[in-house]
Amino acid sequence: MQIRLLAFASLREILEAPERSLSLSEGATVGDAQKLLEEQFPALVPHRSSMRIACNGRLVDSDGMLRDGDEIALFPPVGGG
Amino acid sequence: MQIRLLAFASLREILEAPERSLSLSEGATVGDAQKLLEEQFPALVPHRSSMRIACNGRLVDSDGMLRDGDEIALFPPVGGG
Amino acid sequence: MDSERFSIVRGPVDPRRFESVAGAGEGALVTFSGIVRGTAHDGRAVVGLSYEAYETMARIEFEAIDAQARERFGDVRLWIAHAVGDLAVGDVAVVVTAAARHRAAAFEACRFAIDRLKARAPIWKKERYADGAAQWRANETDE
Amino acid sequence: MDSERFSIVRGPVDPRRFESVAGAGEGALVTFSGIVRGTAHDGRAVVGLSYEAYETMARIEFEAIDAQARERFGDVRLWIAHAVGDLAVGDVAVVVTAAARHRAAAFEACRFAIDRLKARAPIWKKERYADGAAQWRANETDE
């Protein structure tokens, strides 16, 4: 299945693009996507503890199931205001 | 001695003027001025408990001494804001 | 723009009056605007308010509020403008702005200032009602 | 005037944006403006900030803050606008306005909204320093 991946701020810079497409096998979880990304972009690893992930605009845990067409977003700690 | 008397809001309406001159004997107190005014304007009497008096811009007690040229102001409860 | 810090103005206060007062170190600006409502506390329809002030003493009270806010909340600056004369429903009667480096002090100082102003400043208001009547109204303790 | 209640705007926010939003029953308007400061928390000289946002989710978060404020503080309305892109020192990065019948709810809702926004909204800032360097900066808990 295909997942749309968004990344912001420092994580966008590591991924070298604000938006990517990610191919995952059926039944993959948020944690699986994270693991795949860390293999492709090892600079993500130090951000693991502070990173949050949203799926379709809602924060999710790493065991959340993904579906074809989902939009997941990688969040560093926020700094608005 | 001569005292300048200011009155505001409901008390101004009772005194029928925003500003008056008051003649008092030497040694008169704020309370003496208040008593003289209540004789001239009996409609002030019901306001006695809620009225505050300022002398030269500072709130004073009824036993405060007055001096020639002082400006006293009669205050109903405030309503600003 | 008139940036006099403490003032009594004739007619409604411009809500933009203090929009650009923050200095370079001040990251937080909190502004309270008090607006004339169309209904009184007892539910009567209000067409407007008339404010009157003991102006020299009101300015002294505003300066005292500023000094007290600095004692309590540290490095904070206040601006206060209050209307006198006739206002219509929707007009701005008072604007209080607090500027500080961080938002906690700005919020606390702005709230402190309007609370003090309502309790202490020598300003009075007369409510004018739809039926032609009018009445002087003091602030309630919690108003 | 653009009175859209929750928005992400490109470039500095106009501090007047929500100056006239109060309805007839709303006597209290409290506005917080967050302004770009010339010094970072560690004392470095800042020449500007660059904000980026996950816009669709930020607007959803602003709407959630509004709903939570109504639950907590009753009949209160919020407006929020946050900048994205490059801002200079002195520019307005965020404006939050709360309108209510009385001032207690307006102050509390405005403070609640900016606290929540800073803790939760998907918005990020990069500080740009006088020496040419730049760095992403998360909000401190008490910031």
Side-chain angles (χ1 to χ4, degrees):
Chain A
M1 60 183 174
Q2 292 296 113
I3 300 293
R4 187 173 174 226
L5 173 72
L6 306 180
F8 295 97
S10 51
L11 304 180
R12 171 179 56 72
E13 292 176 348
I14 289 170
L15 266 62
E16 295 162 4
E19 191 174 330
R20 288 179 172 274
S21 184
L22 207 61
S23 292
L24 292 164
S25 52
E26 295 302 315
T29 63
V30 169
D32 295 331
Q34 192 170 8
K35 199 172 155 195
L36 181 66
L37 285 166
E38 287 182 357
E39 284 162 11
Q40 289 179 38
F41 302 95
L44 285 177
V45 176
H47 293 270
R48 191 188 290 161
S49 66
S50 64
M51 191 193 299
R52 297 286 174 274
I53 301 182
C55 181
N56 302 325
R58 290 172 172 274
L59 291 174
V60 288
D61 292 329
S62 61
D63 57 1
M65 296 295 290
L66 292 172
R67 290 196 293 191
D68 189 50
D70 277 351
E71 174 180 291
I72 66 175
L74 306 188
F75 276 45
V78 299
Chain B
M1 61 184 174
Q2 292 296 115
I3 299 295
R4 189 176 173 224
L5 173 72
L6 306 179
F8 296 96
S10 52
L11 305 180
R12 171 179 54 73
E13 292 176 347
I14 290 171
L15 267 61
E16 295 162 3
E19 192 174 330
R20 286 180 173 273
S21 184
L22 208 61
S23 292
L24 291 164
S25 51
E26 294 303 315
T29 63
V30 169
D32 294 332
Q34 192 170 5
K35 199 172 155 196
L36 180 65
L37 285 166
E38 287 183 355
E39 283 163 14
Q40 289 179 39
F41 302 96
L44 285 176
V45 175
H47 294 269
R48 192 189 288 163
S49 65
S50 64
M51 191 194 299
R52 297 287 175 273
I53 301 182
C55 181
N56 301 325
R58 290 173 171 273
L59 292 176
V60 288
D61 292 330
S62 61
D63 56 2
M65 298 293 291
L66 293 172
R67 290 197 293 191
D68 189 52
D70 277 352
E71 175 179 292
I72 66 176
L74 305 188
F75 276 45
V78 300
Chain C
M1 198 194 69
D2 180 357
S3 61
E4 196 188 346
R5 289 182 60 204
F6 307 110
S7 48
I8 299 289
V9 300
R10 187 143 294 274
V13 181
D14 182 351
R16 304 175 192 176
R17 188 174 178 92
F18 306 129
E19 73 179 20
S20 312
V21 293
E26 292 167 333
L29 209 62
V30 173
T31 293
F32 171 82
S33 302
I35 299 155
V36 178
R37 281 194 302 267
T39 47
H41 272 70
D42 59 8
R44 291 175 83 176
V46 168
V47 294
L49 299 180
S50 302
Y51 282 99
E52 117 178 23
Y54 183 8
E55 299 197 13
T56 53
M57 193 171 166
R59 267 190 291 267
I60 291 169
E61 182 63 33
F62 294 169
E63 285 166 14
I65 290 169
D66 180 62
Q68 289 154 7
R70 284 173 171 277
E71 271 174 36
R72 289 172 182 234
F73 310 115
D75 200 6
V76 58
R77 291 192 298 159
L78 283 169
W79 288 257
I80 303 173
H82 198 294
V84 291
D86 292 344
L87 302 191
V89 171
D91 281 349
V92 176
V94 59
V95 175
V96 177
T97 292
R101 185 162 174 83
H102 297 294
R103 70 188 182 285
F107 271 105
E108 285 161 11
C110 188
R111 179 71 196 268
F112 171 80
I114 184 63
D115 286 356
R116 277 289 170 123
L117 183 155
K118 287 195 177 235
R120 296 174 50 94
I123 303 171
W124 298 271
K125 71 164 166 281
K126 192 174 212 168
E127 288 179 346
R128 291 179 279 112
Y129 305 107
D131 62 8
Q135 193 178 318
W136 291 101
R137 289 297 298 262
N139 289 333
E140 310 289 337
T141 315
D142 64 337
E143 197 173 350
Chain D
M1 198 193 72
D2 181 356
S3 61
E4 196 187 346
R5 288 183 60 206
F6 307 109
S7 49
I8 300 288
V9 301
R10 187 143 296 273
V13 182
D14 182 349
R16 304 175 190 176
R17 189 173 178 92
F18 305 130
E19 72 176 19
S20 311
V21 292
E26 292 167 334
L29 210 62
V30 173
T31 294
F32 171 81
S33 302
I35 299 157
V36 179
R37 280 194 302 268
T39 48
H41 272 70
D42 59 7
R44 290 175 83 176
V46 168
V47 294
L49 299 180
S50 301
Y51 282 99
E52 114 178 26
Y54 185 7
E55 300 197 12
T56 52
M57 192 171 167
R59 267 189 291 267
I60 290 168
E61 182 62 34
F62 295 168
E63 285 166 13
I65 290 170
D66 180 61
Q68 289 155 6
R70 285 173 171 279
E71 270 175 35
R72 290 174 182 233
F73 310 114
D75 199 6
V76 58
R77 291 192 298 159
L78 283 169
W79 290 257
I80 302 173
H82 198 294
V84 292
D86 292 343
L87 301 193
V89 172
D91 281 349
V92 176
V94 59
V95 174
V96 177
T97 292
R101 184 161 173 83
H102 296 293
R103 71 187 182 285
F107 271 105
E108 286 162 9
C110 187
R111 178 71 195 268
F112 170 81
I114 184 64
D115 286 355
R116 277 289 170 122
L117 183 155
K118 287 194 178 235
R120 297 174 50 94
I123 302 172
W124 299 271
K125 72 164 167 280
K126 193 173 211 169
E127 288 179 345
R128 292 180 278 111
Y129 305 107
D131 62 7
Q135 193 179 317
W136 292 102
R137 290 297 298 264
N139 290 333
E140 311 288 337
T141 316
D142 65 337
E143 195 172 353

